[in-house]
Amino acid sequence: MTTPADFHDQILDEVGTILLGNEEIVEGLTISLLTKGHVLLEGVPGVAKTTIANAFAQATGVNATRIQMTPDLLPADITGTHIYREPIGEFELQKGPIFSNLVIADEINRATPKTQSALLEAMEERTVTIEGDSLPLPSPFMVVATQNPIEMEGTYQLPEAQRDRFQLKLTVDIPDEETELALIDQFNDQPDIDISQISQAITAEELVSAQTVVANVYVAEASKRYLRELVAATRTHTAIEHGGSPRATLALLKTAKARAALQGRTYVIPDDIKHLALPVLRHRLILNSEAELSDQSIDSVLDDVFSQVTAPSGTTESQIKPPQAASDGGAENPL
């Protein structure tokens, strides 16, 4: 059986054949795929946000479609509609690009709020309603949306309800000096990126198996309390108008379990929770007017929140590991 750790390593290896320095992004995408979540990728132009999403889809072997979000795009352009077919004299359902395993919504904040809302039902219920008929979406189903944080002209900020549907918000940064020099060498030798060079790393059966393993990862009471305290602290911080909801708490739970599995563990440790708290929470919070006027960033406020919550340090291995592992003398019990 392919373990989630092997699953991640194989995807990372394939994506790395054409893209360098995006290990954290690939990890986040893998975590969301394993926990049936959605990802918002944010970064300045030219950092390969869309290419990363396409490469990830190629490596996982899922059916992917790309939607270029523009102000003139209509909801029916995403979901589909009934079209009259004159030869048969009947209306026929023409499914939209949302009917795919992985939907890449490129520059999502360029679409109007009405069109953005066409994704709401799909992301939450995994169904689409077309003229009164509710249609199931394929499984797996995942939305990866990209947006540019510096260009505001002609854009529509995602409403809070829409942002909350994204499990993770990952920031694609400018590469460091060493990685950028490696990119120069790579593109000097091979100027054109060819996504088709990436091989399918995993099968559909392996994906389902890995999802089952992640769902069964053990979370001790101490870890649950730490997780809840991190989210709860965002609701009382002086710089935050609206903190994380229970949906954020559950998203942090699921993603922490997935990271534990990617690390080869059958149980969650506090570091799994803290590692994912920022990408789970950063897009769900609303700063108050005072924080906005003082140009505080969400990430800096969250760093302050996390510093005020103490990780469980007095717990023993027997209180974090599954009961069976504890009774076996605290063995690692790798996946």
Side-chain angles (χ1 to χ4, degrees):
M1 181 185 72
T2 300
T3 68
D6 293 334
F7 181 99
H8 172 244
D9 290 343
Q10 291 166 12
I11 293 173
L12 190 60
D13 287 345
E14 285 301 323
V15 173
T17 59
I18 66 166
L19 290 173
L20 302 176
N22 295 287
E23 292 82 3
E24 287 285 331
I25 306 301
V26 174
E27 180 188 72
L29 290 169
T30 305
I31 285 173
S32 279
L33 181 63
L34 290 174
T35 54
K36 303 178 182 180
H38 310 288
V39 175
L40 182 61
L41 291 181
E42 184 173 271
V44 299
V47 291
K49 299 185 295 296
T50 305
T51 304
I52 293 170
N54 280 320
F56 179 77
Q58 183 77 8
T60 54
V62 298
N63 180 36
T65 56
R66 175 178 175 268
I67 307 172
Q68 183 61 54
M69 308 294 273
T70 57
D72 61 345
L73 200 68
L74 299 174
D77 296 327
I78 295 176
T79 60
T81 188
H82 287 91
I83 297 176
Y84 184 73
R85 301 294 187 187
E86 190 171 346
I88 60 176
E90 296 178 356
F91 283 92
E92 183 178 275
L93 176 63
Q94 181 69 47
K95 292 183 177 180
I98 196 70
F99 288 89
S100 183
N101 296 122
L102 193 149
V103 179
I104 303 170
D106 208 9
E107 297 186 281
I108 189 172
N109 54 339
R110 289 204 173 278
T112 62
K114 183 177 181 180
T115 302
Q116 291 173 2
S117 67
L119 293 170
L120 278 173
E121 179 189 0
M123 294 172 68
E124 184 66 18
E125 306 295 336
R126 299 179 187 271
T127 59
V128 169
T129 301
I130 301 176
E131 297 180 16
D133 295 326
S134 183
L135 306 173
L137 291 168
S139 181
F141 174 74
M142 179 178 179
V143 174
V144 178
T146 72
Q147 67 177 11
N148 173 6
I150 63 173
E151 190 174 1
M152 295 295 105
E153 185 177 355
T155 63
Y156 303 86
Q157 184 178 1
L158 290 175
E160 289 80 5
Q162 183 90 34
R163 295 200 304 267
D164 202 40
R165 261 60 174 191
F166 287 99
Q167 186 183 68
L168 299 175
K169 179 183 177 182
L170 305 175
T171 301
V172 187
D173 295 318
I174 296 290
D176 58 31
E177 179 182 357
E178 183 179 345
T179 302
E180 194 160 15
L181 287 171
L183 281 172
I184 292 172
D185 290 337
Q186 182 187 37
F187 279 82
N188 184 50
D189 297 334
Q190 188 178 0
D192 298 320
I193 288 182
D194 187 0
I195 297 293
S196 64
Q197 293 178 3
I198 297 176
S199 301
Q200 180 177 343
I202 50 97
T203 65
E205 292 76 14
E206 288 171 331
L207 172 58
V208 172
S209 176
Q211 287 175 331
T212 301
V213 171
V214 166
N216 291 324
V217 167
Y218 178 75
V219 188
E221 190 64 30
S223 297
K224 291 177 185 176
R225 289 186 176 276
Y226 177 55
L227 185 155
R228 190 265 168 189
E229 287 170 5
L230 277 178
V231 179
T234 66
R235 301 166 189 162
T236 58
H237 194 275
T238 56
I240 299 175
E241 185 74 23
H242 296 288
S245 67
R247 182 185 278 127
T249 305
L250 296 179
L252 187 52
L253 171 68
K254 292 178 182 179
T255 55
K257 291 171 69 172
R259 184 177 187 268
L262 296 193
Q263 298 289 317
R265 280 180 276 103
T266 57
Y267 57 93
V268 169
I269 62 175
D271 188 59
D272 296 322
I273 298 167
K274 191 168 184 179
H275 181 81
L276 286 158
L278 185 61
V280 165
L281 292 167
R282 58 162 49 121
H283 57 295
R284 303 173 190 269
L285 310 183
I286 300 176
L287 298 181
N288 59 31
S289 56
E290 183 178 346
E292 290 181 342
L293 288 172
S294 59
D295 287 330
Q296 294 187 57
S297 68
I298 285 285
D299 285 13
S300 65
V301 170
L302 280 172
D303 285 341
D304 186 54
V305 170
F306 301 153
S307 69
Q308 297 176 20
V309 181
T310 304
S313 57
T315 54
T316 63
E317 285 190 348
S318 63
Q319 292 175 296
I320 293 179
K321 292 185 177 182
Q324 182 60 43
S327 65
D328 290 340
E332 180 65 16
N333 191 19
L335 294 171

